[in-house]
Amino acid sequence: MNEKLWALVQEFVDKAHVGNAELAVAGADLDSDVSSIFTKHMSQISELPASGPLEWV
Amino acid sequence: MGLIMQNRDKIKNFLNEYISECEINSDTKDFISSLLHLKGKIFNVESGFTWAEFNYHIASLFESTDKRDSSIVACSAAIELLVLATDILDDLADQDLNGELLTWVPAPQAVSLSSVLLMEGLHIISQYKNSQIFLSVVAQLREAAQGQTMDLSFCISRKHVPTEKEYFAQISRKSVSLTRLVFHLNVPHKELAFWSKVADYIGFSGQISNDARDIFDDTKNDLVDKKATLPLIKAIEASQARDDDWLLMMLTTKNLRESRDLLPIIRSYIKKTGAIKYCDILSEVYLNKALLLLKKKQETSTNKMHYTDLIKFLGDDHH
């Protein structure tokens, strides 16, 4: 699971503008539970790490 | 929000009373109180996730809160103390002297404080749980302690860059054991196999998210000390493939404790490799796995409301 995800993240992280459709196609090879989360995160532009729901200190 | 405050207030009231009656000196009581007001702790009004409330929600799935609320509250307070004890040891081991904990408590006092918190937490649990459960809790704490020892040498070096697989094995021992502890405290023995999966998913999610954030935290020494956290491992992987191992070279030839001016460049580089995005995605994937298992279990539960409360507590706004 993780190797495919890592490869895709590296492929798309540098791209300035990536459409959801392009991400969805790229993520089609991922497990279904991973694909939508991949598309969501890669279409966001953020400066800092996302605040995960589980912000335990 | 009302329910969360109600649970939190009960736990806080227990802790206030317990600490005031504890046979420890007033300085120690003051230190404990101060630390329990820090970020992420039960007395801090801005805390979202607290370990005490996490335990309360898990316990509520299995015990009737009407009949056994005093036990649930007490054990939730105990969990808060136990995790605080491990937090102190963690910061001491990492030499996070500028971190919140060690800013409040000098290192010598922190060592004995950790010991007191550990003992008081175990004492509370021993008052409310049978010996089998108590030993199960001790087993998870042993795992965490052994993981902490191994963590001291779990670093990046020229000779060895740990793999992602090794990272998951390490956090499983050191950190996820604390999540498992909460489930071992509350879950009927025959159901542990299922709930251990939930524990692992929640634990992995939290730790990966923690490690990604700490790369950018100036009060943490993960990056400076080249701790083999997942974001650093993946960034080095990318750097080895694309940039002639630049990142590993930087980490192993520069003393980042003395050259902190290099940190922004290194952080920016790590971000550009996609390592942080990868961690963010993975953290959410694991949390979602836990939530799916919970929702599935909820379907056949007679305790649906408590499942809803737990799922919301873990951050599923859609439930």
Side-chain angles (χ1 to χ4, degrees):
Chain A
M1 169 190 84
N2 296 355
E3 281 173 17
K4 279 188 212 169
L5 174 62
W6 176 227
L8 282 173
V9 168
Q10 288 179 87
E11 184 183 335
F12 283 94
V13 73
D14 279 337
K15 296 189 177 179
H17 300 286
V18 188
N20 281 354
E22 190 181 349
L23 287 168
V25 168
D29 252 359
L30 298 170
D31 293 344
S32 55
D33 57 337
V34 178
S35 182
S36 57
I37 298 170
F38 164 76
T39 303
K40 182 183 97 173
H41 279 269
M42 296 310 292
S43 60
Q44 288 168 351
I45 300 168
S46 59
E47 288 302 311
L48 287 172
S51 287
L54 282 181
E55 268 193 60
W56 70 36
V57 177
Chain B
M1 185 61 92
L3 177 62
I4 292 170
M5 291 314 294
Q6 198 178 17
N7 295 342
R8 187 174 288 193
D9 285 339
K10 285 191 279 191
I11 298 166
K12 282 161 61 179
N13 288 342
F14 178 93
L15 281 167
N16 275 331
E17 195 174 322
Y18 186 86
I19 293 167
S20 71
E21 291 174 2
C22 229
E23 288 181 21
I24 47 179
N25 62 36
S26 59
D27 281 351
T28 306
K29 292 182 187 183
D30 288 344
F31 279 137
I32 293 174
S33 178
S34 299
L35 295 182
L36 289 174
H37 277 80
L38 294 178
K39 185 178 161 191
K41 298 305 177 192
I42 193 77
F43 283 90
N44 188 310
V45 295
E46 291 176 16
S47 294
F49 178 97
T50 67
W51 281 94
E53 287 163 298
F54 177 55
N55 182 80
Y56 193 97
H57 283 296
I58 299 299
S60 300
L61 299 180
F62 303 100
E63 294 197 75
S64 162
T65 48
D66 293 334
K67 291 180 188 169
R68 300 281 295 157
D69 200 51
S70 58
S71 167
I72 296 175
V73 169
C75 288
S76 298
I79 290 295
E80 189 78 3
L81 297 181
L82 289 175
V83 173
L84 181 56
T86 64
D87 285 345
I88 292 172
L89 288 177
D90 208 27
D91 278 16
L92 283 168
D94 292 342
Q95 298 180 72
D96 286 341
L97 300 178
N98 294 324
E100 273 200 305
L101 283 172
L102 297 181
T103 304
W104 277 97
V105 185
Q109 278 89 337
V111 173
S112 57
L113 197 59
S114 177
S115 177
V116 164
L117 289 165
L118 176 64
M119 291 303 127
E120 294 303 329
L122 287 174
H123 173 71
I124 294 169
I125 289 170
S126 73
Q127 304 296 298
Y128 290 93
K129 297 289 184 180
N130 64 41
S131 57
Q132 184 189 24
I133 291 175
F134 183 81
L135 289 174
S136 190
V137 166
V138 168
Q140 294 306 317
L141 284 171
R142 277 186 77 200
E143 192 78 0
Q146 287 163 9
Q148 177 63 59
T149 310
M150 292 168 69
D151 200 54
L152 294 172
S153 56
F154 195 69
C155 297
I156 307 288
S157 72
R158 269 253 168 239
K159 285 182 192 171
H160 182 62
V161 178
T163 62
E164 180 171 331
K165 189 176 173 183
E166 286 169 321
Y167 167 81
F168 274 97
Q170 174 57 18
I171 67 170
S172 181
R173 293 200 82 176
K174 184 194 154 189
S175 320
V176 181
S177 49
L178 294 177
T179 323
R180 284 191 216 107
L181 186 159
V182 169
F183 285 86
H184 278 255
L185 188 59
N186 296 292
V187 170
H189 186 74
K190 61 181 188 290
E191 294 186 50
L192 266 176
F194 169 81
W195 289 101
S196 290
K197 266 193 226 168
V198 178
D200 284 358
Y201 290 149
I202 293 172
F204 287 147
S205 177
Q207 190 58 49
I208 293 169
S209 177
N210 221 28
D211 286 341
R213 285 200 320 276
D214 284 356
I215 290 282
F216 297 89
D217 189 335
D218 285 329
T219 68
K220 298 288 182 180
N221 287 327
D222 285 10
L223 188 50
V224 164
D225 291 338
K226 302 186 281 284
K227 299 295 290 294
T229 59
L230 188 60
L232 200 50
I233 288 169
K234 303 312 284 188
I236 289 172
E237 261 182 48
S239 183
Q240 282 170 335
R242 303 198 303 219
D243 293 319
D244 209 20
D245 230 355
W246 177 86
L247 183 56
L248 185 60
M249 185 273 297
M250 285 294 282
L251 291 171
T252 55
T253 59
K254 309 288 180 192
N255 183 336
L256 294 178
R257 277 189 182 265
E258 290 171 6
S259 307
R260 295 191 82 100
D261 53 312
L262 293 173
L263 289 178
I265 303 166
I266 292 173
R267 285 169 174 158
S268 175
Y269 182 85
I270 290 170
K271 195 163 163 292
K272 282 190 184 135
T273 63
I276 303 298
K277 276 283 183 192
Y278 177 72
C279 289
D280 289 344
I281 293 168
L282 220 52
S283 175
E284 190 168 334
V285 165
Y286 278 115
L287 179 61
N288 266 17
K289 285 181 184 293
L291 292 174
L292 275 169
L293 287 177
L294 288 171
K295 288 172 185 175
K296 191 94 182 129
K297 200 75 172 170
Q298 184 183 32
E299 287 170 11
T300 53
S301 169
T302 53
N303 215 350
K304 288 185 172 37
M305 186 187 72
H306 289 301
Y307 274 84
T308 300
D309 291 339
L310 172 61
I311 289 164
K312 277 188 185 164
F313 177 76
L314 291 173
D316 185 11
D317 292 330
H318 304 298
H319 196 73

